[in-house]
Amino acid sequence: MKFEKIKNKGQARLFESRYLEMLTKTHPLIIWGMYIPIMGYMLYYSYNTLGNSLGRIGLVFAGALFFWTFFEYIMHRFLFHLVSESPMWIRIIYVLHGNHHEYPRDKQRLFMPPVPSLLLSSVIFAIMYAVMQSMAFMFFPGFILGYLIYGTMHYAIHAWNPPFKFLKPLWRNHHLHHYKSDDKGFGVSSSFWDRVFGTFFDLDKEKEDKEKVKSLMFDK
């Protein structure tokens, strides 16, 4: 994720085809609107058809939400920042995440767009179902809610100042990940795993660079 110059205007061109290029962009509300009915149906199915109690559903759902934070950390640290000399992997990582580091003000690529999102989530659900059978109908909605919160938090960190004082460390952790070092600060929706694995920035020692933070924020 080392770029000679961070671009504060425009967007990365990911595909030559303008039709494929259109499919790489989306708005957070579209993704929320796409997944809420799916989540609602799965939870209803778990209760009404599979006969699970509300307590059991709530427990599995909450466990999946927590599991997402770990999944997010692992993906961001070991896949999105994978170091490789392979042109293929360099291309894949740039499409997945590198373009965000080069164009941090691009607000249309903070969520995975609808078509690849549905394809990937279908594969993830199939794996969950293979491992946990009917419990997947309770687990998957919590996992997806974690993803939606992650994407929304990512959007908020680049759009606004932290609305509450207790969120400022999370905001600063991500800002420093962009302009200080991409070897730390992998948590976006939560800083829990950064603290566990020692990749949280020492905010007492890191002076905030207001100009660089401003360059990461969406244009008003």
Side-chain angles (χ1 to χ4, degrees), residues 192-206:
F192 177 78
W193 297 107
D194 273 319
R195 296 177 188 274
V196 169
F197 294 114
T199 52
F200 191 78
F201 284 95
D202 187 342
L203 301 183
D204 293 330
K205 295 181 179 178
E206 297 291 350

Side-chain angles (χ1 to χ4, degrees), residues 26-73:
T26 192
H27 188 278
L29 291 180
I30 292 175
I31 307 303
W32 275 90
M34 183 175 74
Y35 279 115
I36 284 177
I38 297 173
M39 293 161 56
Y41 171 76
M42 286 190 172
L43 292 173
Y44 176 77
Y45 180 78
S46 295
Y47 176 74
N48 187 64
T49 303
L50 298 179
N52 291 287
S53 67
L54 292 177
R56 178 180 171 82
I57 292 171
L59 188 63
V60 174
F61 183 89
L65 191 58
F66 180 70
F67 175 76
W68 164 264
T69 64
F70 180 69
F71 182 83
E72 169 197 322
Y73 178 88

Side-chain angles (χ1 to χ4, degrees), residues 10-27 91 94-95 99 102-103 106 108-109 111-116:
Q11 295 176 312
R13 182 79 184 198
L14 301 182
F15 296 100
E16 291 184 10
S17 167
R18 63 190 181 97
Y19 300 107
L20 284 177
E21 191 72 3
M22 287 171 56
L23 293 176
T24 67
K25 305 170 188 179
T26 192
H27 188 278
R91 168 69 174 160
Y94 183 80
V95 170
N99 71 89
E102 188 173 22
Y103 293 85
D106 182 358
Q108 292 184 305
R109 288 185 172 131
F111 277 86
M112 185 171 286
V115 173

Side-chain angles (χ1 to χ4, degrees), residues 72-109:
E72 169 197 322
Y73 178 88
I74 294 298
M75 291 292 288
H76 193 179
R77 181 174 180 179
F78 297 107
L79 177 59
F80 292 170
H81 287 271
L82 176 70
V83 176
S84 174
E85 295 182 0
S86 163
M88 181 190 73
W89 275 108
I90 291 172
R91 168 69 174 160
I92 290 172
I93 298 307
Y94 183 80
V95 170
L96 286 175
H97 190 63
N99 71 89
H100 172 61
H101 276 260
E102 188 173 22
Y103 293 85
R105 287 183 168 182
D106 182 358
K107 62 176 68 176
Q108 292 184 305
R109 288 185 172 131

